[in-house]
Amino acid sequence: MARTIQSLERAAAMLRLLAGGERRLGLSDVAAALGLAKGTAHGILRTLQQEGFVEQDPASGRYQLGAELLRLGNSYLDVHELRARALVWTDDLARSSGESVYLGVLHQQGVLIVHHVFRPDDSRQVLEVGAMQPLHSTALGKILSAYDPVAHSEAAEGARKSFTARTVTALEDFEGVLDLTRARGWSSDVEETWEGVASVAAPIHDRRRMPVGAVAVTGAVERVCENGVLSSSLVAAVRDCARAVSRDLGAGRF
């Protein structure tokens, strides 16, 4: 039998450990779970961190999977159930709205873009799969913060940077935005993150009715808004898309 490389086996076991159970694990937790000395575990974690496969929370020192795992390519993303279930629906949404569509999930203190459908025109566009968006100002981030307790904690306890004059940064005001989001079932970002850009997002739920991601349409304010307010037809289309993906994930009717 061909010999295996022990360090690679340990690194693989570490990634599997971080992929399940607790969202974040400390060095002692990782070492104990894998039966490794702390020095050995730390060396492997440090290497994985340098390569982007693991990230360390600066406040707690705990480790979690890194975004580089999603940047490895479409071969990984194609087996991601959420993305696979959303492919047809997000393509249809981009075609009907004429705008860009994003699929995002909670990752660390932000939103990780796991799927991006280009605006269906001939303009030059950049694929944003693997990009991170803030929780407190974007439509994707606000909808996740409204429905996912972990996202809510990350947004409430983290720094809420002001990107434009419209960005909501005060905690009390932010909580008010989340209350409104939950009441109407969708979130908005009208020039709160980027000048001249507006977005609307809706939550995606799984078979346990748990929020597992969100879908959003993003475009120039003059195209997606009417008198400064997001188009009601666009809001309806985004919500319909989110419901369709949720149904495909087994969530049933909402």
Side-chain angles (χ1 to χ4, degrees), residues 58-103:
S60 67
R62 291 176 172 268
Y63 295 88
Q64 67 180 32
L65 293 180
E68 189 61 24
L69 289 173
L70 280 178
R71 294 192 180 103
L72 286 177
N74 288 335
S75 60
Y76 173 79
L77 290 176
D78 283 341
V79 301
H80 189 289
E81 185 179 10
L82 175 60
R83 180 179 183 271
R85 297 286 186 177
L87 286 176
V88 173
W89 301 109
T90 51
D91 282 351
D92 286 347
L93 180 58
R95 189 161 43 249
S96 64
S97 67
E99 301 295 342
S100 300
V101 175
Y102 296 89
L103 189 69

Side-chain angles (χ1 to χ4, degrees), residues 133-148:
Q133 292 187 2
L135 283 170
H136 70 285
S137 62
T138 61
L140 285 171
K142 283 186 278 188
I143 202 70
L144 290 174
S145 298
Y147 286 92
D148 185 334

Side-chain angles (χ1 to χ4, degrees), residues 100 188 200 205:
S100 300
S188 64
V200 56
H205 297 80

Side-chain angles (χ1 to χ4, degrees), residues 7-8 11 14 40-54 63:
S7 60
L8 292 180
M14 204 167 283
T40 301
H42 184 254
I44 297 173
L45 283 168
R46 187 172 64 247
T47 301
L48 290 172
Q49 184 179 2
Q50 289 173 349
E51 296 300 323
F53 297 129
V54 165
Y63 295 88

